[in-house]
Amino acid sequence: MYNIERVSRAVSFNSPDRVPLLYFNKDQDQSDLIAVDVVDHYGGLDRDQSEWGFTWDRMDDTMGQPTAPILSSLDDVSSLHIPDPHAAFRRRALPAMKSIYGEDRYYIASLVLSGFTVISALRGFSDTLVDMFEDPIRFASFADIVFSFEEQLIIGLRDQGYQAVAFFDDWGMQDGLLISPDLWRRIFKPRYNKQFDLVHECGMDVYFHNCGYYYEIIQDFIDIGVDLLNISQPNLYNIEKLGADFGGKVCFVCPVSYQTTSISGTRNDIYQDVELLVKHLGCFNGGLIGYIEEYGSMGMSEANYQACIDAFTDLGMYP
């Protein structure tokens, strides 16, 4: 079974031959899915410059944090530099990747960071939360600038050859949402809904990445059209309940938890985690994609990295 067909069948619950694998930052020649950055959030000599204008500070190989917000107040939004959503480099990204990995991959146009994450990087995390309550009208206008940029970018991706568009916007903490579900539904859900409809109109699937525990809004994401939903920290969830409540409704994209098992677990622990994912999320004639990321910066050993690959390979076979 070809890579694109395998992934498409997993997403549509149409009996792929095995669980597809997404290798994120290493061994991508083995990956069924390839993420292609179409927003430059890590440019410049030291990869410390976003095309939105903020800079990154990092102490290791992780993404780091913005050094300082570039908007001291919402008064400054009018002077914000908005990137060109149709910049030429965005059209060069996919041909460059296809020249390396070939035509037969499920290519994802990655926004790298999106929505709320970009807003909070521009304005500062704490001030962003305050703005939502103290100045909701102007905050909504600011949010529309960021979301509108992404919408124009999505339109530009039409017919380029991508199978999906990926949004990366963290809403979960270790034990719940960053904001109340009601506030999220009032401010962000309709804006995502508009974006996801646009992705589908352009003939692509919607991939959404979320860190943390965001159980309360999973059904919302399903309702507004997410096709591939990344659960980045499965250790925070009851996987059996996750499968019972949402299995067969959305295709989950899951790693071996990279805060716990994949870092400090044994090979047997890793296999047990993958077995749980396959048993409860991948049992709907599809519905699961294995996510594999090398996390040496967080203490992952080469042995554990290989064990994650082996576990998804050995246990992700359908009868």
Side-chain angles (χ1 to χ4, degrees), residues 56-173:
W56 295 97
D57 184 26
R58 60 175 66 86
M59 299 178 64
D60 52 31
D61 293 331
T62 56
M63 62 185 289
Q65 296 185 23
T67 53
I70 64 174
L71 300 177
S72 59
S73 78
L74 291 178
D75 294 334
D76 299 330
V77 170
S78 60
S79 63
L80 179 66
H81 166 72
I82 303 170
D84 177 3
H86 305 296
F89 80 88
R90 305 191 206 284
R91 297 196 66 88
R92 294 195 294 265
L94 183 58
M97 294 298 271
K98 284 187 173 182
S99 70
I100 300 172
Y101 299 111
E103 293 287 336
D104 184 39
R105 307 283 175 149
Y106 182 97
Y107 283 100
I108 304 172
S110 168
L111 302 187
V112 186
L113 303 171
S114 57
F116 172 77
T117 302
V118 174
I119 292 167
S120 60
L122 292 169
R123 179 74 177 97
F125 182 77
S126 297
D127 286 330
T128 296
L129 297 181
V130 171
D131 289 341
M132 289 185 206
F133 290 94
E134 292 192 348
D135 203 344
I137 294 177
R138 287 206 300 169
F139 176 80
S141 297
F142 175 31
D144 285 338
I145 291 173
V146 174
F147 277 79
S148 294
F149 161 79
E150 294 170 0
E151 289 157 16
Q152 290 303 307
L153 194 154
I154 291 165
I155 291 171
L157 297 173
R158 187 196 300 266
D159 300 327
Q160 284 195 37
Y162 289 103
Q163 280 69 50
V165 177
F167 302 82
F168 291 79
D169 211 359
D170 295 333
W171 283 109
M173 299 182 291

Side-chain angles (χ1 to χ4, degrees), residues 30-48:
Q30 304 298 313
S31 188
D32 295 297
L33 308 90
I34 301 288
V36 182
D37 293 352
V38 294
V39 179
D40 191 1
H41 275 302
Y42 297 98
L45 186 62
D46 297 317
R47 298 185 69 250
D48 61 352

Side-chain angles (χ1 to χ4, degrees), residues 27 63-64 95 116 126 168 195 230 244 272 281:
D27 297 322
M63 62 185 289
F116 172 77
S126 297
F168 291 79
Q195 289 183 323
N230 183 207
Q272 287 181 349
L281 304 183

Side-chain angles (χ1 to χ4, degrees), residues 204-270:
M204 297 175 285
D205 294 330
V206 174
Y207 177 113
F208 202 98
H209 159 90
N210 237 319
C211 283
Y213 186 83
Y214 60 99
Y215 203 92
E216 292 172 286
I217 57 174
I218 288 178
Q219 185 61 54
D220 294 274
F221 277 118
I222 294 171
D223 291 343
I224 60 178
V226 169
D227 302 291
L228 300 94
L229 188 61
N230 183 207
I231 299 286
S232 292
Q233 295 164 267
N235 61 295
L236 300 180
Y237 293 79
N238 179 325
I239 299 300
E240 183 174 358
K241 178 174 172 55
L242 189 69
D245 289 349
F246 306 114
K249 299 179 181 179
V250 68
C251 184
F252 288 102
V253 183
C254 297
V256 178
S257 293
Y258 43 64
Q259 280 190 333
T260 53
T261 309
S262 70
I263 305 298
S264 57
T266 65
R267 183 177 177 87
N268 186 59
D269 294 333
I270 290 170

